[in-house]
Amino acid sequence: MVVRDGLSPDASRTLRLRTDRWDVEFLESAGAITSLVDRGTGTRHVGRGSLSPETARQTRPDLGLGVLVRTHELPHPMTSWVEDYTWLEESILAGAELRVVENGPVRTVVRADHRRDDFDATVFFTFTHHSPHFDIEFEVTWKAEEP
């Protein structure tokens, strides 16, 4: 597996990962996958198809894989299992710290740390060598006070 840094079309830093199965591009500031291509079929699962420079600048990172989205709801009588009355939704696209924590012959693990006033979140992206499967694991610690 090869990992290298680059720049996205809007000059944001990217991290690129290539496994036997996947070509992956992370937007470092968002800590998320903005391009995921199956190397065997050429199918792009995340991101847009063939990109002209102009189209690439217009690709929306908030539609990436692993983007944290904070939603705010109005109070309602249902349990936390029901999401209703969302009045604000925010994609967290800046401030992540992205780094490769394991890059060996068996797997590569990329870690994205998000630190906010009301929560801390860590996202682990694990790509296993020679496998079509990969894992995304979220760990979130809420620091917000009860209203």
Side-chain angles (χ1 to χ4, degrees):
M1 297 182 193
V2 177
V3 177
R4 63 184 187 277
D5 290 320
L7 292 176
S8 70
D10 68 351
S12 300
R13 290 199 48 82
T14 62
L15 182 132
R16 295 188 180 154
L17 166 67
R18 183 181 200 122
T19 73
D20 292 343
R21 181 64 183 256
W22 302 105
D23 280 329
V24 187
E25 184 173 293
F26 293 86
L27 181 61
E28 286 193 14
S29 61
I33 295 172
T34 52
S35 178
L36 178 69
V37 178
D38 184 322
R39 295 184 63 215
T41 65
T43 303
R44 183 177 297 275
H45 296 281
V46 175
R48 294 191 181 178
S50 299
L51 300 178
S52 69
E54 185 59 31
T55 303
R57 280 190 291 277
Q58 296 170 358
T59 298
R60 291 180 50 193
D62 57 311
L63 301 178
L65 187 59
V67 171
L68 298 182
V69 179
R70 179 179 10 203
T71 59
H72 299 271
E73 295 177 273
L74 294 174
H76 59 83
M78 298 301 292
T79 68
S80 62
W81 296 103
V82 176
E83 183 175 337
D84 281 331
Y85 309 116
T86 299
W87 63 272
L88 178 65
E89 193 171 83
E90 172 192 14
S91 297
I92 310 296
L93 299 176
E97 179 186 334
L98 188 73
R99 65 185 188 276
V100 178
V101 294
E102 185 177 333
N103 190 21
V106 175
R107 68 183 192 166
T108 295
V109 180
V110 177
R111 176 182 175 147
D113 289 304
H114 302 264
R115 303 288 175 246
R116 298 281 192 242
D117 290 339
D118 56 345
F119 74 90
D120 291 335
T122 301
V123 184
F124 294 95
F125 302 88
T126 303
F127 291 86
T128 305
H129 202 47
H130 302 298
S131 175
H133 304 285
F134 59 90
D135 295 313
I136 301 175
E137 180 182 346
F138 293 86
E139 295 176 1
V140 180
T141 303
W142 295 105
K143 300 185 286 188
E145 297 291 326
E146 289 287 326

